[in-house]
Amino acid sequence: MATSRSAAVLFAFALLAACSPPASASDWGGHYGDILLSFTPGPEATHVAQRDSLPVVGTMVDLYAVLAVSEIVRARGEQVLTVGGLELKLAADGAPGWKVLNQEIMGKNINMGPEPGTVTAGLFPGLSFDDGRVQIVHWLVQVPGLARDVVFRLDPAGARSCATLLDCPESGTYALWAGAVAANQHGLLFSAGYVPAYLNPTTPDPDLTPVRGLIDWRERGLVTPD
């Protein structure tokens, strides 16, 4: 692919497979953060919602992805405060025929995802955390018919670049995110877990335990607590 080095650096995460060689083992910082799937844009996530269906149309729902970190870390002498790239794929259990009608990735971006619901995007200058959280994607989802017990989650197949990183494939990674070019952290990659979202559950108290892979950022030692 004929792309200048500057463009490849600018969108290093989104174009990793197409424009640059695989990242080295030292680029992957391990698991850091969870993606909260929410029916409201925040600041607090809403993981359970009841929505009515419409004749012919079915059930329509807004769904948001919010990346949340519990503490700030430091890399290359600077705090990691900005998201510069994303790899993730939305999935829905219990919703045959569901589809993403609209996908909005926050901020200026280039997305190479092959279909709605899949994000393989470079962000510039990046999205900044606000009190440990940043909204990254907004989807409009249609579920045919009367939606019941639908669970939105992340499909690990969306974290495609994980296959190029030493130790990442066996870590159970569900999503990847990158530091920002503007912060000189473009080569820094992290795994993220997720908290699912439940549409019209028929049982009380759905399980909101974060679903995470292995190998924490503390184990990798690429970043340090601030």
Side-chain angles (χ1 to χ4, degrees), residues 12 19 24 33 40 54 62 68 76 80 99 138 163 200:
C19 302
S24 68
T40 56
L54 300 172
D62 287 291
R76 303 170 188 168
V80 179
K99 65 176 64 175
H138 172 210
N200 295 340

Side-chain angles (χ1 to χ4, degrees), residues 38-106:
S38 173
F39 295 105
T40 56
E44 296 300 321
T46 303
H47 298 290
V48 181
Q50 299 289 336
R51 297 287 188 271
D52 294 330
S53 63
L54 300 172
V56 181
V57 174
T59 306
M60 306 285 287
V61 62
D62 287 291
L63 189 66
Y64 301 85
V66 178
L67 177 60
V69 296
S70 59
E71 60 184 303
I72 299 301
V73 298
R74 186 175 291 269
R76 303 170 188 168
E78 300 291 339
Q79 292 179 323
V80 179
L81 298 174
T82 313
V83 180
L86 301 166
E87 279 192 353
L88 60 88
K89 182 178 182 180
L90 182 65
D93 297 330
W98 75 286
K99 65 176 64 175
V100 174
L101 299 182
N102 188 60
Q103 174 174 274
E104 179 187 9
I105 302 169
M106 302 298 106

Side-chain angles (χ1 to χ4, degrees), residues 11 27 39 62 70 72 124 140 146 148 154 156 159 184 215-216:
F11 302 108
D27 290 330
F39 295 105
D62 287 291
S70 59
I72 299 301
F124 187 80
L140 177 62
L146 188 63
R148 288 290 182 272
L154 294 184
N184 194 31
I215 311 182
D216 187 79

